[in-house]
Amino acid sequence: MLKGVGVSPGISIGKAFLLDRRKIKVEKFTIAGDMVEEEVARFMDALQKSREQLLQVKEKLTHDLGDQGHAHIVDVHILILEDEMLVNEAINIVREERVNAEWALRKVLTRFANIFDQIEDPYMKERKSDIEHVGQRILHNLVGEKMRSLDGFEEDVIVVAHDLSPADTAQMHRGRVIGFATDLGARTSHTAIMARSLEIPAVVGLENICTFVKTGDPIIIDGTDGVVIVKPTPEEFRDYLEKQRRFKYVIQELLKYTDQPAETLDGYKIEIMANIEFLDDIPHVLSRGAEGIGLYRTEFFYMNSPKLPTEEDHFRVYKRLAEQVSPRQATIRTLDLGGDKIESKLHVMDEPNPVLGLRAIRFSLKHSDLFRLQLRAILRASAYGKLRIMYPMISGIEELQQANLILAEVKDELSSEGIYFDEDIPVGVMIEIPSASITADLLAKEADFFSIGTNDLIQYSIAIDRGNEHVAYLYEPLHPAVLRLIKRTVEAGHSEGIPVGMCGEMAGDPLSTLILLGLELDEFSMNTASIPIIKQIVRSVRLEQATELAYKAMSFSTAKEIEEFVLREMSSKFPEFF
């Protein structure tokens, strides 16, 4: 039995297909001066072949399968192929050092990887894998090796690989791939996000599963517990068949109640919302019981474009969002990137520690022209549905006031131009820095809602990088400090009469549901797969039961004590989920 990270729940039982995605071994060759331009041409030809291959994958998704949403992820890889820094730097190395294109490309990829290794934000850190996937595709084309496609299987298979690119995962759509397991990966990788969206059970981070498995081996994937069993015993096979049957039954039962409110037995109602990145996910999340969009990330919008998006680019997307979610509510988070991610478009300076530097609302206030453009588009789109604006990484009242001042000026501009918009559009603050939680009483006086971003709040509170293997064990959502900050934020918000939600991963973790309910959060926003389970847990208890559990949990001194207590309680109350 191998233990990894379960990134997409469910159980798959079948035969393994070992996908050989070993890295191309690159050696350095010196080339003659008169061969340099020929080598550059060979590199450009490999780029063109890679582009054509990705366009074929996109064509299959959009036309054959009608999947526009995941085609956007393939667009990201196409844009990486066209990135001027990557292309020009590789060509410059070929010309200046007179080396082969494979070596030049590997040198550039290594430099990019080192830059991403310095990033603490786990979501952004995982973008390194996108660049590596694109690099491997180019290298395969440079050496003339064809990459195995993941469609065209004649029977169901469970794919085992060192790593998978989003393009690989996209080809699994509606195919014969019923699960996958990889050596590498994390919850925030594109591949993991796609697996959850496609509802394919998946386990990643297994380190060396490729060395244990051969094509045709019987294998079990438990994406809920992060377990993989290769060549199961007859007893393990029977146990997991039964576990798979129970899982499918529970999901089927949960889906019967997707249109029911998330309301406790004694009538305390909370809003269950979804976090999305692609508009094409909206029908699916609503069918799973989401009552709106609690977090629409706009970072992809910037990273998917070779140039900065225009106001019309923003407006078209936000208008579609408003119309498709209407009459429900959708929350748009303003840009949550730093200049280091779009420096090639802005020519900004590198920062030694960008995660604590000019990013999110700080970046927007510094580059107010970009911020105004995004706010104008959101306000214009607010005429077509119920939108909310949410500022990320607010650290104190001055930033909130500056952002609101710019918003007021933009509103005046639109009014003077005779453009209609929702003048009372709610404006919220993401609480993801301890200083924001500690001053939540001040922020609440000038905000319409709070949304707690636990991913960053936990990291900043405990001062750990969960992507750092040496301290990852310290990433404890149930740490007493974290629970106290959440409680403080809720109390501050409610004292000023504003709702307090949560859009971090903790909101979609069933283990935390009763604690968060007991602390009286008003809204949980999460990934699609968690919605039915979280809603069912809320509907199964009285508020006073959750309150009692939450305050008992907060009486313990350590995260371990709290987790053990909560796990015992939840296992007792909901044995079908734990």
Side-chain angles (χ1 to χ4, degrees), residues 41 64 81 116 136 143 155 260 303 342 372 386 388 393 420 431 460 466 572:
D64 296 357
L81 276 174
F116 276 84
Q136 283 300 311
V143 301
E155 60 179 357
Q260 298 295 311
M303 298 182 70
I342 46 181
R372 286 173 183 274
K386 294 173 65 176
R388 299 194 300 184
M393 208 180 174
Y420 178 75
I431 304 293
Y460 293 136
R466 65 175 173 168
S572 170

Side-chain angles (χ1 to χ4, degrees), residues 423-450:
E423 295 186 7
D424 298 318
I425 187 170
V427 178
V429 170
M430 274 194 82
I431 304 293
E432 50 188 341
I433 303 176
S435 65
S437 176
I438 292 167
T439 60
D441 57 325
L442 304 176
L443 295 171
K445 297 181 190 302
E446 301 192 32
D448 296 312
F449 67 94
F450 285 156

Side-chain angles (χ1 to χ4, degrees), residues 284-357:
H284 183 60
V285 302
L286 296 181
S287 74
R288 287 293 188 266
E291 298 167 276
I293 305 302
L295 171 62
Y296 176 64
R297 303 182 181 95
T298 58
E299 293 74 64
F300 257 80
F301 198 50
Y302 287 84
M303 298 182 70
N304 283 4
S305 171
K307 57 183 177 53
L308 289 171
T310 65
E311 179 181 325
E312 288 305 308
D313 292 334
H314 281 282
F315 172 68
R316 281 194 295 272
V317 173
Y318 303 153
K319 178 174 177 285
R320 276 186 61 201
L321 173 70
E323 290 175 335
Q324 290 187 23
V325 177
S326 181
R328 305 171 186 86
Q329 190 163 249
T331 305
I332 299 176
R333 181 175 70 185
T334 58
L335 178 62
D336 192 18
L337 287 178
D340 56 311
K341 312 303 178 305
I342 46 181
E343 61 179 311
S344 62
K345 298 160 192 160
L346 288 177
H347 307 292
V348 297
M349 298 294 290
D350 287 342
E351 293 183 281
N353 193 353
V355 75
L356 296 178

Side-chain angles (χ1 to χ4, degrees), residues 458-508:
I458 294 166
Q459 290 199 111
Y460 293 136
S461 299
I462 313 176
I464 67 105
D465 172 8
R466 65 175 173 168
N468 182 331
E469 59 183 321
H470 302 296
V471 295
Y473 70 97
L474 290 172
Y475 185 84
E476 297 172 316
L478 297 178
H479 192 289
V482 175
L483 297 184
R484 291 181 189 201
L485 289 174
I486 293 172
K487 180 172 181 289
R488 183 187 188 98
T489 303
V490 174
E491 290 174 345
H494 287 179
S495 69
E496 291 295 332
I498 67 171
V500 181
M502 178 178 288
C503 57
E505 282 186 24
M506 193 173 176

